[in-house]
Each structure stands twice: as C-alpha cells, then as structure tokens.
Amino acid sequence: MNGGMPFISKKSVHIQVGQLVPDIREKLGNDIIPTSTSLCYLDIELDPSLKWDTHNGKVVGKAYHALGLLKPGLKFAPVKTISLAFKTIVLPILEYATEVRSPYHVSLQ
C-alpha cells in the first residue's frame, strides 16, 4: 500500500448475510478470507440472520458476571454505595449499543 494501513487477510473474517450459498470464497490477493457463522465487531455480536439473540445473551451474561463480582463486597454497604456501584459497573454493560438490543420482537420484551 502507498502510505496507508495494510490489509491483513489473516485477521479478517467473511460473514454472509441472507441466503447461504455453498462454497463461496472471498479472496484478497492469493489469500482466502475465512468464512464464519458469526462476527464480533466493536463488541457487538452479528449473525447471518441479523437477529440479536446471541448478542443479547452475551450482554446479559457479562452483566450478571459483573453483578456477581460486586455482590460479596457490597453485602453490608449502604444503599447509596450499592446504587453507585451498579450505575458505574453493571449499567454501562447493559446500555452499550442499546440501539441494537432494543426489543423490536415480542420475544425480546
């Protein structure tokens, strides 16, 4: 490349959205870009059906994990401290990319 950042095909993944076509191969130069069934980009999990079930599960799991780490240390803390810890540590996990996770399906409500 002329002064730009080089494209590294080994760090790239191809994901096909929509109807699956067997044996589709994306190439960059002589390198074949591997195909994946899902893709994580900016901590947002994408899948070919463009449904957010996988992403929602991942986010809820992270929030529960953070909450589980907080609970023992805040067992006897005042309510104000517990609220501050929740708003500082757990809530940002749940609020990140909420536009993606908004419940547009009845099953997600």
Side-chain angles (χ1 to χ4, degrees), residues 5-16:
M5 186 181 343
F7 188 84
I8 302 171
S9 60
K10 292 179 182 177
K11 292 188 176 186
S12 301
V13 175
H14 167 254
I15 182 170
Q16 184 173 342

Side-chain angles (χ1 to χ4, degrees), residues 4-73:
M5 186 181 343
F7 188 84
I8 302 171
S9 60
K10 292 179 182 177
K11 292 188 176 186
S12 301
V13 175
H14 167 254
I15 182 170
Q16 184 173 342
V17 177
Q19 186 178 11
L20 296 177
V21 178
D23 295 331
I24 189 167
R25 308 261 174 168
E26 294 292 328
K27 291 179 85 175
L28 180 66
N30 293 330
D31 298 329
I32 295 176
I33 299 174
T35 302
S36 178
T37 57
S38 66
L39 172 70
C40 188
Y41 182 70
L42 296 176
D43 211 23
I44 298 173
E45 196 76 28
L46 301 172
D47 71 348
S49 65
L50 293 181
K51 293 187 179 175
W52 304 108
D53 301 337
T54 306
H55 176 74
N56 288 339
K58 181 179 165 185
V59 169
V60 169
K62 278 184 173 181
Y64 271 125
H65 180 73
L67 190 60
L69 293 174
L70 281 177
K71 278 176 71 173

